[in-house]
Amino acid sequence: MGRRIKKIKKIRLHHEGNHTLLLAFVLFALLFAACRVWLYPVSVAAFYVVVAVAAVVMGVLINFFRCPIRTFEGEPEGIVVAPADGRVVVIEEVEENEYFHDRRLMVSIFMSLTNVHANWFPVEGIVKKVEHQDGNFHKAWLPKASIENERSTVVIETPDGQEVLVRQVAGAMARRIVTYAEEGDHCFIDEHMGFIKFGSRVDTFLPLGTELCVNFGDKTTGNETVLARLKA
């Protein structure tokens, strides 16, 4: 299957943050105006402290919704790229009972508040299944988060017939999982699979025998770090 050629646009902020950032900017402007009128005449130091704190919060939000443009270097056949920025917190064989109902190799990446929260497709192929499930909001790095938290599951069949499952998992702070994948779509490395607002994780379930290219604790860069190589 050939790769789709598309024009890359330079995007600095993810569109999922448009409403949040606009609201934050309006609130920041109103706070600044109010403090300038009522707080500044009373205490200049307090005025600057409040403005500085508000500016830091605004900066954190802007940093959270940044959206770097990345293009995978190399041939994608048989390659599994990291679907997210973050750190590898789980590498183990597990019983996957929601779709495969057999043992799979699970690699989990935890995204902190400071990471990019866009998610990429880890492999190229056809989207076979997309399912969203409501759940709890345990801390994302806990093992039970993968099966008890709110989550969205995407199953991709590669051109050679292998299936890879990617699960977006909400964390203690995450309250919205966005998944762009739709069943029947052709998906490609370099494309966004979705977005998770605030701390969360992404689990990738691979066939047994897959060659891993990362270790526990490694940092990953979405769409750049090679997570694994599928067995031919």
Side-chain angles (χ1 to χ4, degrees):
M1 180 175 61
R3 303 188 69 194
R4 181 166 62 195
I5 300 175
K6 57 182 181 178
K7 184 178 180 180
I8 299 296
K9 297 180 180 179
K10 293 183 178 180
I11 302 174
R12 296 300 180 184
L13 295 174
H14 201 283
H15 64 83
E16 293 294 343
N18 289 351
H19 292 129
T20 301
L21 293 174
L22 178 60
L23 177 60
F25 179 79
V26 171
L27 292 176
F28 177 80
L30 292 174
L31 176 65
F32 179 84
C35 289
R36 185 68 179 83
V37 173
W38 290 297
L39 184 59
Y40 186 84
V42 177
S43 174
V44 175
F47 168 78
Y48 282 115
V49 168
V50 172
V51 171
V53 171
V56 168
V57 172
M58 189 70 189
V60 170
L61 286 174
I62 292 173
N63 180 72
F64 177 83
F65 286 109
R66 70 193 189 278
C67 185
I69 300 300
R70 296 172 182 164
T71 303
F72 179 72
E73 299 294 334
E75 291 298 321
E77 286 76 14
I79 294 296
V80 182
V81 298
D85 287 16
R87 186 180 296 275
V88 177
V89 294
V90 176
I91 297 179
E92 63 179 352
E93 286 188 19
V94 298
E95 201 68 36
E96 201 293 306
N97 292 316
E98 293 186 12
Y99 179 80
F100 293 116
H101 302 286
D102 63 13
R103 294 191 68 78
R104 294 278 154 165
L105 181 62
M106 182 175 78
V107 181
S108 298
I109 298 172
F110 173 72
M111 295 178 286
S112 71
L113 188 62
T114 60
N115 289 127
V116 171
H117 273 59
N119 302 148
W120 285 262
F121 286 107
V123 294
E124 302 200 333
I126 298 176
V127 178
K128 305 296 290 185
K129 182 181 178 67
V130 179
E131 183 179 31
H132 182 90
Q133 293 174 285
D134 295 329
N136 298 316
F137 295 95
H138 300 301
K139 293 179 180 179
W141 59 81
L142 296 176
K144 62 182 179 181
S146 183
I147 56 176
E148 294 185 13
N149 279 19
E150 179 181 348
R151 57 202 180 277
S152 184
T153 299
V154 178
V155 179
I156 304 165
E157 182 180 331
T158 65
D160 63 354
Q162 299 191 71
E163 290 185 324
V164 173
L165 186 153
V166 192
R167 182 169 293 148
Q168 299 169 284
V169 183
M173 295 180 63
R175 287 298 182 270
R176 188 183 179 204
I177 297 176
V178 182
T179 305
Y180 306 136
E182 295 183 3
E183 293 184 14
D185 282 354
H186 287 269
C187 62
F188 301 86
I189 289 174
D190 295 344
E191 292 183 337
H192 284 162
M193 183 184 74
F195 194 94
I196 310 180
K197 293 189 176 181
F198 306 109
S200 46
R201 68 189 263 183
V202 178
D203 300 334
T204 305
F205 293 83
L206 304 166
L208 297 182
T210 298
E211 177 191 351
L212 282 179
C213 300
V214 293
N215 297 305
F216 179 83
D218 284 356
K219 290 184 178 180
T220 61
T221 301
N223 201 55
E224 290 186 0
T225 302
V226 175
L227 208 64
R229 302 179 190 277
L230 295 172
K231 186 178 180 181

